[in-house]
Amino acid sequence: MTELIEALKSAKKVGVLTGAGVSTLCGIPDFRGPQGLYRQPDAERIFDIDWFDRDPSVYYRGCRELVYGLGDFQPGPVHTALVRLERAGRLAGIATQNIDMLHQKAGSSHVYEVHGSPVVHACRHCGDVKTFDEIVAMIEANGGAAKLGEPYVPRCACGGPYKPAITFFGEMLPEAAFRSAQELAISSDVFLVLGTSLTVHPAAGLPRLTLQAGGKVFIVNGQPTSLDDYAVRRYPDLKEFADAVCAAFATSPLS
Ligand code: OAD
């Protein structure tokens, strides 16, 4: 990791793109890794807006633990390493495809959630808004029915299903977050790509913006990606990356 650490120390501006791989170290499965969620049949329907409108129980069944159990998960080594980098003045921001809110929980302050998050839910019919905690309470109060094989769908008083502010396939990305992520990628002379298969666009195109602007890209991902040939290097192990960053920036204590 010497080359990567030296680049972090000498860069004018460092930006990061994270994906589901950074949270596998916290026990949350990724999508396309060896144990990924999409290895299950029909799992791609879970985050599909047409499927949600046809049958919202597909989403609530698939995400009951993945999303509504998120309160039980804690940030892992990569989240912590990125907080250290920020506190050392070496990290401008994080564009994340993740919906688990763990970067914020770890203490990172400039996080752009390009695929949204479940922090709020809105009724698909009338637009009424509920917080994540309110939806979790509704789901927990109805756990019995779900256990009997009737997946519970939280519904508004008007009858419409609540949909999380996660970007489903078939929906536009949140405009402000994606614009900030693009600006971060363009203005970073070193851009780290951490734990993403780089298969879902337009987020997967962010590192190309850095390359087009003359910056360097480093990738840390277990599987090969389509940008490996354009990166300075791809390293396979995120835990090794986190340990190397924490060792190199150890003088910035976490409060
Ligand atoms: P993927 O599951 O596609 O990719 C995660 C990558 O992380 C895989 O290539 C793994 O090999 C790698 N990985 C996992 N654990 C690792 C470790 N400990 N060390 C090194 N590499 C590791 O996840 P994303 O690229 O984030 O969309 O997926 C993009 C989008 O697809 C997601 O945001 C999601 C999904 O549909 C929505 O939820 C809207």
Side-chain angles (χ1 to χ4, degrees), residues 128-145:
D128 180 60
V129 171
K130 288 250 181 288
T131 64
F132 179 74
D133 289 345
E134 287 172 320
I135 295 290
V136 169
M138 289 169 82
I139 290 175
E140 281 175 359
N142 285 277

mmCIF file of all heavy atoms in Angstrom, residues 128-145:
data_model
loop_
_atom_site.group_PDB
_atom_site.id
_atom_site.type_symbol
_atom_site.label_atom_id
_atom_site.label_comp_id
_atom_site.label_asym_id
_atom_site.label_seq_id
_atom_site.Cartn_x
_atom_site.Cartn_y
_atom_site.Cartn_z
ATOM 1 N N ASP A 128 -47.042 11.657 1.945
ATOM 2 C CA ASP A 128 -46.806 11.792 3.390
ATOM 3 C C ASP A 128 -45.444 11.178 3.750
ATOM 4 O O ASP A 128 -45.079 10.116 3.225
ATOM 5 C CB ASP A 128 -47.927 11.068 4.164
ATOM 6 C CG ASP A 128 -47.727 11.179 5.656
ATOM 7 O OD1 ASP A 128 -47.711 12.312 6.162
ATOM 8 O OD2 ASP A 128 -47.556 10.129 6.318
ATOM 9 N N VAL A 129 -44.716 11.863 4.648
ATOM 10 C CA VAL A 129 -43.341 11.450 4.951
ATOM 11 C C VAL A 129 -43.242 10.862 6.353
ATOM 12 O O VAL A 129 -43.828 11.380 7.296
ATOM 13 C CB VAL A 129 -42.384 12.656 4.792
ATOM 14 C CG1 VAL A 129 -40.986 12.337 5.311
ATOM 15 C CG2 VAL A 129 -42.307 13.071 3.326
ATOM 16 N N LYS A 130 -42.482 9.758 6.470
ATOM 17 C CA LYS A 130 -42.189 9.163 7.783
ATOM 18 C C LYS A 130 -40.669 8.979 7.895
ATOM 19 O O LYS A 130 -39.977 8.757 6.906
ATOM 20 C CB LYS A 130 -42.825 7.773 7.899
ATOM 21 C CG LYS A 130 -44.340 7.784 8.043
ATOM 22 C CD LYS A 130 -44.738 7.355 9.466
ATOM 23 C CE LYS A 130 -46.238 7.308 9.674
ATOM 24 N NZ LYS A 130 -46.870 8.623 9.743
ATOM 25 N N THR A 131 -40.159 9.048 9.129
ATOM 26 C CA THR A 131 -38.727 8.831 9.337
ATOM 27 C C THR A 131 -38.426 7.330 9.327
ATOM 28 O O THR A 131 -39.330 6.492 9.471
ATOM 29 C CB THR A 131 -38.268 9.382 10.700
ATOM 30 O OG1 THR A 131 -38.938 8.618 11.723
ATOM 31 C CG2 THR A 131 -38.589 10.856 10.853
ATOM 32 N N PHE A 132 -37.129 7.026 9.187
ATOM 33 C CA PHE A 132 -36.674 5.633 9.246
ATOM 34 C C PHE A 132 -37.155 4.969 10.534
ATOM 35 O O PHE A 132 -37.701 3.865 10.509
ATOM 36 C CB PHE A 132 -35.138 5.620 9.163
ATOM 37 C CG PHE A 132 -34.524 4.249 9.243
ATOM 38 C CD1 PHE A 132 -34.599 3.379 8.168
ATOM 39 C CD2 PHE A 132 -33.868 3.824 10.390
ATOM 40 C CE1 PHE A 132 -34.031 2.110 8.236
ATOM 41 C CE2 PHE A 132 -33.296 2.557 10.465
ATOM 42 C CZ PHE A 132 -33.378 1.705 9.382
ATOM 43 N N ASP A 133 -36.989 5.668 11.680
ATOM 44 C CA ASP A 133 -37.371 5.074 12.967
ATOM 45 C C ASP A 133 -38.875 4.787 13.032
ATOM 46 O O ASP A 133 -39.305 3.785 13.610
ATOM 47 C CB ASP A 133 -36.964 5.994 14.126
ATOM 48 C CG ASP A 133 -35.449 6.007 14.308
ATOM 49 O OD1 ASP A 133 -34.778 5.115 13.754
ATOM 50 O OD2 ASP A 133 -34.941 6.928 14.977
ATOM 51 N N GLU A 134 -39.673 5.666 12.452
ATOM 52 C CA GLU A 134 -41.129 5.439 12.452
ATOM 53 C C GLU A 134 -41.484 4.191 11.625
ATOM 54 O O GLU A 134 -42.342 3.398 12.022
ATOM 55 C CB GLU A 134 -41.864 6.664 11.893
ATOM 56 C CG GLU A 134 -41.878 7.841 12.860
ATOM 57 C CD GLU A 134 -42.442 9.106 12.234
ATOM 58 O OE1 GLU A 134 -42.152 9.389 11.053
ATOM 59 O OE2 GLU A 134 -43.162 9.828 12.935
ATOM 60 N N ILE A 135 -40.798 4.033 10.500
ATOM 61 C CA ILE A 135 -41.081 2.858 9.652
ATOM 62 C C ILE A 135 -40.613 1.581 10.365
ATOM 63 O O ILE A 135 -41.315 0.554 10.358
ATOM 64 C CB ILE A 135 -40.405 3.007 8.271
ATOM 65 C CG1 ILE A 135 -41.008 4.196 7.503
ATOM 66 C CG2 ILE A 135 -40.526 1.714 7.450
ATOM 67 C CD1 ILE A 135 -42.431 4.035 7.019
ATOM 68 N N VAL A 136 -39.428 1.652 11.004
ATOM 69 C CA VAL A 136 -38.940 0.482 11.750
ATOM 70 C C VAL A 136 -39.952 0.092 12.824
ATOM 71 O O VAL A 136 -40.272 -1.087 13.001
ATOM 72 C CB VAL A 136 -37.543 0.766 12.384
ATOM 73 C CG1 VAL A 136 -37.151 -0.334 13.365
ATOM 74 C CG2 VAL A 136 -36.487 0.888 11.296
ATOM 75 N N ALA A 137 -40.496 1.094 13.526
ATOM 76 C CA ALA A 137 -41.486 0.804 14.589
ATOM 77 C C ALA A 137 -42.727 0.144 13.997
ATOM 78 O O ALA A 137 -43.267 -0.811 14.582
ATOM 79 C CB ALA A 137 -41.858 2.101 15.314
ATOM 80 N N MET A 138 -43.176 0.610 12.839
ATOM 81 C CA MET A 138 -44.350 0.002 12.196
ATOM 82 C C MET A 138 -44.043 -1.454 11.812
ATOM 83 O O MET A 138 -44.866 -2.350 12.014
ATOM 84 C CB MET A 138 -44.740 0.783 10.922
ATOM 85 C CG MET A 138 -45.348 2.149 11.200
ATOM 86 S SD MET A 138 -45.515 3.165 9.700
ATOM 87 C CE MET A 138 -47.033 2.516 9.009
ATOM 88 N N ILE A 139 -42.843 -1.687 11.282
ATOM 89 C CA ILE A 139 -42.471 -3.051 10.864
ATOM 90 C C ILE A 139 -42.365 -3.963 12.083
ATOM 91 O O ILE A 139 -42.878 -5.090 12.079
ATOM 92 C CB ILE A 139 -41.152 -3.023 10.052
ATOM 93 C CG1 ILE A 139 -41.424 -2.370 8.692
ATOM 94 C CG2 ILE A 139 -40.560 -4.423 9.888
ATOM 95 C CD1 ILE A 139 -40.196 -2.165 7.843
ATOM 96 N N GLU A 140 -41.716 -3.452 13.141
ATOM 97 C CA GLU A 140 -41.552 -4.293 14.340
ATOM 98 C C GLU A 140 -42.897 -4.619 14.979
ATOM 99 O O GLU A 140 -43.124 -5.743 15.437
ATOM 100 C CB GLU A 140 -40.603 -3.614 15.333
ATOM 101 C CG GLU A 140 -39.158 -3.807 14.898
ATOM 102 C CD GLU A 140 -38.163 -3.066 15.762
ATOM 103 O OE1 GLU A 140 -38.583 -2.378 16.708
ATOM 104 O OE2 GLU A 140 -36.960 -3.194 15.464
ATOM 105 N N ALA A 141 -43.792 -3.647 14.980
ATOM 106 C CA ALA A 141 -45.113 -3.880 15.576
ATOM 107 C C ALA A 141 -45.890 -4.937 14.796
ATOM 108 O O ALA A 141 -46.835 -5.523 15.307
ATOM 109 C CB ALA A 141 -45.889 -2.565 15.617
ATOM 110 N N ASN A 142 -45.498 -5.166 13.553
ATOM 111 C CA ASN A 142 -46.218 -6.130 12.717
ATOM 112 C C ASN A 142 -45.363 -7.349 12.389
ATOM 113 O O ASN A 142 -45.616 -8.043 11.402
ATOM 114 C CB ASN A 142 -46.684 -5.456 11.430
ATOM 115 C CG ASN A 142 -47.867 -4.547 11.714
ATOM 116 O OD1 ASN A 142 -48.997 -5.006 11.769
ATOM 117 N ND2 ASN A 142 -47.585 -3.280 11.965
ATOM 118 N N GLY A 143 -44.335 -7.586 13.214
ATOM 119 C CA GLY A 143 -43.409 -8.705 12.976
ATOM 120 C C GLY A 143 -44.098 -10.053 12.927
ATOM 121 O O GLY A 143 -43.663 -10.953 12.212
ATOM 122 N N GLY A 144 -45.188 -10.212 13.674
ATOM 123 C CA GLY A 144 -45.874 -11.497 13.725
ATOM 124 C C GLY A 144 -46.358 -11.942 12.360
ATOM 125 O O GLY A 144 -46.097 -13.050 11.921
ATOM 126 N N ALA A 145 -47.022 -11.029 11.666
ATOM 127 C CA ALA A 145 -47.570 -11.381 10.352
ATOM 128 C C ALA A 145 -46.455 -11.769 9.392
ATOM 129 O O ALA A 145 -46.572 -12.739 8.638
ATOM 130 C CB ALA A 145 -48.362 -10.199 9.798
#
